């Protein structure tokens, strides 16, 4: 078994900024000309997530609206009472959505659906610089 580690950084606007990272992931994976592998995409941080979505304008409003119902920005959080950083909502959203996604590479192609993109969602309450890690296992 071989593991290839790749990473890249992106700047986000924070505040549930949804960024399409599909092309960066494809670029890093396809540069190795592999046929079959397990591809894991992970972001480091407790107020940021990696997930999948159809990257279209409607869902870019719908997803933040849905998460606002689950973890509203202006609710009082114990985290904020403890740390006074005002991003309790961001930690909760990141925990629920998760930090990684897996995509199988089969016959040289990442098996994404036609309308399925890989996105990073930054929930923090300020712009951030995030590091995305890709582990390619074959
Ligand atoms: Zn915090």
């Amino acid at each position: 078994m071989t593991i290839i580690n790749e990473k890249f950084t992106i700047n986000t606007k924070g505040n549930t900024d949804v960024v399409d990272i599909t092309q960066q992931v494809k670029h890093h994976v396809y540069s190795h000309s592999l046929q079959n592998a397990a591809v894991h995409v992970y972001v480091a941080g407790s107020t940021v997530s990696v997930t999948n979505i159809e990257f279209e304008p409607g869902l870019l409003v719908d997803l933040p609206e849905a998460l606002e119902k689950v973890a509203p920005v202006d609710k009082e959080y114990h985290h904020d009472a403890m740390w006074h950083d005002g991003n309790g909502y961001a930690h909760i959203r990141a925990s629920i959505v998760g930090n990684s996604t897996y995509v199988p590479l089969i016959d040289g192609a990442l098996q994404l659906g036609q309308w399925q993109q890989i996105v990073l969602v930054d929930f923090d309450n300020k712009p951030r610089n995030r590091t995305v890690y890709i582990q390619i296992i074959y």
Side-chain angles (χ1 to χ4, degrees):
M1 189 178 75
T2 303
I3 299 177
I4 298 172
N5 292 310
E6 296 270 7
K7 66 180 176 183
F8 60 90
T9 60
I10 60 170
N11 295 308
T12 77
K13 296 193 279 273
N15 299 297
T16 312
D17 188 14
V18 184
V19 182
D20 185 356
I21 60 170
T22 310
Q23 291 311 314
Q24 288 101 316
V25 172
K26 284 183 175 177
H27 168 76
H28 284 283
V29 172
Y30 291 158
S31 70
H32 298 284
S33 301
L34 297 170
Q35 288 299 299
N36 297 289
V39 177
H40 294 268
V41 182
Y42 166 86
V43 63
S46 62
T47 54
V48 62
S49 289
V50 162
T51 186
N52 301 274
I53 200 167
E54 180 180 347
F55 195 84
E56 59 84 20
L59 283 168
L60 297 183
V61 177
D62 291 330
L63 180 65
E65 282 185 358
L67 291 167
E68 178 65 23
K69 291 176 186 161
V70 175
V73 172
D74 59 3
K75 180 184 172 295
E76 286 186 23
Y77 292 88
H78 300 287
H79 174 78
D80 297 333
M82 185 86 74
W83 299 102
H84 307 289
D85 56 0
N87 65 357
Y89 77 95
H91 291 283
I92 298 301
R93 293 180 186 190
S95 293
I96 292 169
V97 178
N99 276 71
S100 66
T101 192
Y102 158 76
V103 187
L105 179 78
I106 300 175
D107 296 334
L110 285 167
Q111 299 300 304
L112 291 165
Q114 185 177 3
W115 309 112
Q116 179 185 15
Q117 279 78 44
I118 305 167
V119 292
L120 179 149
V121 189
D122 200 328
F123 300 112
D124 212 348
N125 55 4
K126 57 181 183 280
R128 297 289 304 260
N129 182 267
R130 301 295 195 177
T131 302
V132 177
Y133 296 86
I134 305 169
Q135 276 203 319
I136 306 164
I137 304 164
Y138 66 99

